[in-house]
Amino acid sequence: IVEEEMLKENGMDASCMCDLIVTLNVSYKENNCGAMVFQGIGASADMYDYCEGTPPRNADEIAVTTVIADTLGVRIGDTITIHMNSGNKDFIITALYQSMYDMGNGIRLHETARVDYSQVYNAMGMQVDFNDSPSDKVIEQRIKKIEKLYDERIQVWSAEEYALETVGTIVDAIDAVKIMTIILS
């Protein structure tokens, strides 16, 4: 990954990873749905948690969320078809997982699977893992250095800040519902 080389050139030995997201239609027999299809860049499929089964180990294997499994009526061992501009591809389901992203409509590809990158919808934030286990103070210094390297065009967060940013709005919404429930009671 280019970012790893740039960080190393600037005195920060790190591993970088992110997920590309492709919105695609998938089908199984007569059932169809749209799904967010995730593929790790700099990350392998076995780095994620699964509820059942085993992580995808080959390019023709995938994991699906329980929402997708229920929608399509599939289970581990079934083969679904993913429809791409470049043609349809069949994938064997090897695992089930949970996700809050897009209401749980997700599919995780093996990192070597070939997808039609012209259909990439988005990419999750780049995760940077420093290989030298720096202190919190050093991480703060590195965050400032990374912001400067990118001319402050990007937002850089610590792991804690990222978690608060992504989950914070949900927590705020739940708190608002709690308050409304108390008022109505």
Side-chain angles (χ1 to χ4, degrees), residues 166-183:
T166 57
V167 179
T169 55
I170 294 169
V171 171
D172 293 342
I174 290 170
D175 285 345
V177 170
K178 282 186 208 174
I179 291 168
M180 184 59 76
T181 302
I182 291 169
I183 292 170

PDB file of all heavy atoms in Angstrom, residues 166-183:
ATOM      1  N   THR A 166     -17.961   7.322  14.920  1.00  0.00           N
ATOM      2  CA  THR A 166     -18.856   6.428  14.184  1.00  0.00           C
ATOM      3  C   THR A 166     -20.024   5.938  15.024  1.00  0.00           C
ATOM      4  O   THR A 166     -21.108   5.737  14.514  1.00  0.00           O
ATOM      5  CB  THR A 166     -18.089   5.218  13.613  1.00  0.00           C
ATOM      6  OG1 THR A 166     -17.434   4.542  14.684  1.00  0.00           O
ATOM      7  CG2 THR A 166     -17.097   5.639  12.574  1.00  0.00           C
ATOM      8  N   VAL A 167     -19.819   5.748  16.317  1.00  0.00           N
ATOM      9  CA  VAL A 167     -20.878   5.222  17.180  1.00  0.00           C
ATOM     10  C   VAL A 167     -21.561   6.341  17.955  1.00  0.00           C
ATOM     11  O   VAL A 167     -22.698   6.203  18.383  1.00  0.00           O
ATOM     12  CB  VAL A 167     -20.312   4.157  18.148  1.00  0.00           C
ATOM     13  CG1 VAL A 167     -21.384   3.619  19.063  1.00  0.00           C
ATOM     14  CG2 VAL A 167     -19.687   3.017  17.356  1.00  0.00           C
ATOM     15  N   GLY A 168     -20.884   7.470  18.104  1.00  0.00           N
ATOM     16  CA  GLY A 168     -21.411   8.572  18.904  1.00  0.00           C
ATOM     17  C   GLY A 168     -22.793   9.024  18.482  1.00  0.00           C
ATOM     18  O   GLY A 168     -23.658   9.282  19.318  1.00  0.00           O
ATOM     19  N   THR A 169     -23.044   9.123  17.178  1.00  0.00           N
ATOM     20  CA  THR A 169     -24.350   9.583  16.724  1.00  0.00           C
ATOM     21  C   THR A 169     -25.442   8.576  17.077  1.00  0.00           C
ATOM     22  O   THR A 169     -26.563   8.960  17.364  1.00  0.00           O
ATOM     23  CB  THR A 169     -24.343   9.842  15.206  1.00  0.00           C
ATOM     24  OG1 THR A 169     -23.898   8.659  14.539  1.00  0.00           O
ATOM     25  CG2 THR A 169     -23.422  10.997  14.853  1.00  0.00           C
ATOM     26  N   ILE A 170     -25.104   7.308  17.076  1.00  0.00           N
ATOM     27  CA  ILE A 170     -26.074   6.282  17.463  1.00  0.00           C
ATOM     28  C   ILE A 170     -26.374   6.399  18.950  1.00  0.00           C
ATOM     29  O   ILE A 170     -27.526   6.345  19.376  1.00  0.00           O
ATOM     30  CB  ILE A 170     -25.544   4.871  17.120  1.00  0.00           C
ATOM     31  CG1 ILE A 170     -25.426   4.712  15.606  1.00  0.00           C
ATOM     32  CG2 ILE A 170     -26.439   3.791  17.707  1.00  0.00           C
ATOM     33  CD1 ILE A 170     -24.675   3.488  15.169  1.00  0.00           C
ATOM     34  N   VAL A 171     -25.337   6.589  19.742  1.00  0.00           N
ATOM     35  CA  VAL A 171     -25.513   6.740  21.188  1.00  0.00           C
ATOM     36  C   VAL A 171     -26.378   7.965  21.478  1.00  0.00           C
ATOM     37  O   VAL A 171     -27.291   7.910  22.308  1.00  0.00           O
ATOM     38  CB  VAL A 171     -24.143   6.835  21.902  1.00  0.00           C
ATOM     39  CG1 VAL A 171     -24.308   7.197  23.363  1.00  0.00           C
ATOM     40  CG2 VAL A 171     -23.383   5.527  21.755  1.00  0.00           C
ATOM     41  N   ASP A 172     -26.121   9.080  20.773  1.00  0.00           N
ATOM     42  CA  ASP A 172     -26.926  10.286  20.963  1.00  0.00           C
ATOM     43  C   ASP A 172     -28.393  10.024  20.620  1.00  0.00           C
ATOM     44  O   ASP A 172     -29.295  10.470  21.332  1.00  0.00           O
ATOM     45  CB  ASP A 172     -26.400  11.438  20.105  1.00  0.00           C
ATOM     46  CG  ASP A 172     -25.019  11.927  20.559  1.00  0.00           C
ATOM     47  OD1 ASP A 172     -24.620  11.623  21.705  1.00  0.00           O
ATOM     48  OD2 ASP A 172     -24.357  12.610  19.748  1.00  0.00           O
ATOM     49  N   ALA A 173     -28.641   9.297  19.532  1.00  0.00           N
ATOM     50  CA  ALA A 173     -30.016   8.981  19.128  1.00  0.00           C
ATOM     51  C   ALA A 173     -30.705   8.096  20.164  1.00  0.00           C
ATOM     52  O   ALA A 173     -31.869   8.307  20.502  1.00  0.00           O
ATOM     53  CB  ALA A 173     -30.024   8.304  17.757  1.00  0.00           C
ATOM     54  N   ILE A 174     -29.975   7.109  20.686  1.00  0.00           N
ATOM     55  CA  ILE A 174     -30.548   6.234  21.710  1.00  0.00           C
ATOM     56  C   ILE A 174     -30.856   7.032  22.972  1.00  0.00           C
ATOM     57  O   ILE A 174     -31.922   6.859  23.579  1.00  0.00           O
ATOM     58  CB  ILE A 174     -29.601   5.053  22.004  1.00  0.00           C
ATOM     59  CG1 ILE A 174     -29.569   4.108  20.797  1.00  0.00           C
ATOM     60  CG2 ILE A 174     -30.027   4.298  23.267  1.00  0.00           C
ATOM     61  CD1 ILE A 174     -28.499   3.043  20.872  1.00  0.00           C
ATOM     62  N   ASP A 175     -29.968   7.926  23.365  1.00  0.00           N
ATOM     63  CA  ASP A 175     -30.212   8.777  24.535  1.00  0.00           C
ATOM     64  C   ASP A 175     -31.461   9.627  24.333  1.00  0.00           C
ATOM     65  O   ASP A 175     -32.256   9.809  25.248  1.00  0.00           O
ATOM     66  CB  ASP A 175     -28.999   9.654  24.838  1.00  0.00           C
ATOM     67  CG  ASP A 175     -27.852   8.884  25.475  1.00  0.00           C
ATOM     68  OD1 ASP A 175     -28.082   7.747  25.954  1.00  0.00           O
ATOM     69  OD2 ASP A 175     -26.723   9.411  25.485  1.00  0.00           O
ATOM     70  N   ALA A 176     -31.636  10.174  23.130  1.00  0.00           N
ATOM     71  CA  ALA A 176     -32.814  10.993  22.841  1.00  0.00           C
ATOM     72  C   ALA A 176     -34.093  10.164  22.958  1.00  0.00           C
ATOM     73  O   ALA A 176     -35.100  10.626  23.504  1.00  0.00           O
ATOM     74  CB  ALA A 176     -32.699  11.614  21.452  1.00  0.00           C
ATOM     75  N   VAL A 177     -34.057   8.928  22.462  1.00  0.00           N
ATOM     76  CA  VAL A 177     -35.216   8.036  22.568  1.00  0.00           C
ATOM     77  C   VAL A 177     -35.503   7.716  24.024  1.00  0.00           C
ATOM     78  O   VAL A 177     -36.663   7.711  24.456  1.00  0.00           O
ATOM     79  CB  VAL A 177     -35.003   6.742  21.747  1.00  0.00           C
ATOM     80  CG1 VAL A 177     -36.091   5.719  22.041  1.00  0.00           C
ATOM     81  CG2 VAL A 177     -34.953   7.068  20.260  1.00  0.00           C
ATOM     82  N   LYS A 178     -34.470   7.485  24.818  1.00  0.00           N
ATOM     83  CA  LYS A 178     -34.660   7.216  26.251  1.00  0.00           C
ATOM     84  C   LYS A 178     -35.359   8.386  26.932  1.00  0.00           C
ATOM     85  O   LYS A 178     -36.301   8.206  27.688  1.00  0.00           O
ATOM     86  CB  LYS A 178     -33.306   6.966  26.929  1.00  0.00           C
ATOM     87  CG  LYS A 178     -32.710   5.614  26.714  1.00  0.00           C
ATOM     88  CD  LYS A 178     -31.463   5.532  27.591  1.00  0.00           C
ATOM     89  CE  LYS A 178     -30.432   4.618  27.062  1.00  0.00           C
ATOM     90  NZ  LYS A 178     -29.183   4.657  27.838  1.00  0.00           N
ATOM     91  N   ILE A 179     -34.886   9.598  26.643  1.00  0.00           N
ATOM     92  CA  ILE A 179     -35.467  10.790  27.261  1.00  0.00           C
ATOM     93  C   ILE A 179     -36.929  10.942  26.832  1.00  0.00           C
ATOM     94  O   ILE A 179     -37.805  11.197  27.666  1.00  0.00           O
ATOM     95  CB  ILE A 179     -34.630  12.043  26.924  1.00  0.00           C
ATOM     96  CG1 ILE A 179     -33.283  11.963  27.622  1.00  0.00           C
ATOM     97  CG2 ILE A 179     -35.384  13.319  27.299  1.00  0.00           C
ATOM     98  CD1 ILE A 179     -32.279  12.990  27.133  1.00  0.00           C
ATOM     99  N   MET A 180     -37.206  10.724  25.545  1.00  0.00           N
ATOM    100  CA  MET A 180     -38.573  10.838  25.048  1.00  0.00           C
ATOM    101  C   MET A 180     -39.470   9.785  25.708  1.00  0.00           C
ATOM    102  O   MET A 180     -40.610  10.071  26.073  1.00  0.00           O
ATOM    103  CB  MET A 180     -38.599  10.680  23.528  1.00  0.00           C
ATOM    104  CG  MET A 180     -39.970  10.888  22.931  1.00  0.00           C
ATOM    105  SD  MET A 180     -40.683  12.506  23.277  1.00  0.00           S
ATOM    106  CE  MET A 180     -39.751  13.497  22.160  1.00  0.00           C
ATOM    107  N   THR A 181     -38.940   8.576  25.884  1.00  0.00           N
ATOM    108  CA  THR A 181     -39.711   7.510  26.528  1.00  0.00           C
ATOM    109  C   THR A 181     -40.028   7.875  27.977  1.00  0.00           C
ATOM    110  O   THR A 181     -41.156   7.673  28.441  1.00  0.00           O
ATOM    111  CB  THR A 181     -38.917   6.183  26.473  1.00  0.00           C
ATOM    112  OG1 THR A 181     -38.635   5.882  25.105  1.00  0.00           O
ATOM    113  CG2 THR A 181     -39.713   5.049  27.087  1.00  0.00           C
ATOM    114  N   ILE A 182     -39.065   8.456  28.664  1.00  0.00           N
ATOM    115  CA  ILE A 182     -39.286   8.876  30.055  1.00  0.00           C
ATOM    116  C   ILE A 182     -40.346   9.969  30.113  1.00  0.00           C
ATOM    117  O   ILE A 182     -41.256   9.940  30.951  1.00  0.00           O
ATOM    118  CB  ILE A 182     -37.948   9.340  30.698  1.00  0.00           C
ATOM    119  CG1 ILE A 182     -37.031   8.141  30.889  1.00  0.00           C
ATOM    120  CG2 ILE A 182     -38.212  10.051  32.034  1.00  0.00           C
ATOM    121  CD1 ILE A 182     -35.612   8.505  31.264  1.00  0.00           C
ATOM    122  N   ILE A 183     -40.262  10.930  29.204  1.00  0.00           N
ATOM    123  CA  ILE A 183     -41.231  12.023  29.185  1.00  0.00           C
ATOM    124  C   ILE A 183     -42.632  11.481  28.906  1.00  0.00           C
ATOM    125  O   ILE A 183     -43.597  11.867  29.566  1.00  0.00           O
ATOM    126  CB  ILE A 183     -40.840  13.085  28.136  1.00  0.00           C
ATOM    127  CG1 ILE A 183     -39.560  13.802  28.590  1.00  0.00           C
ATOM    128  CG2 ILE A 183     -41.966  14.078  27.902  1.00  0.00           C
ATOM    129  CD1 ILE A 183     -38.943  14.697  27.523  1.00  0.00           C
TER     130      ILE A 183
END
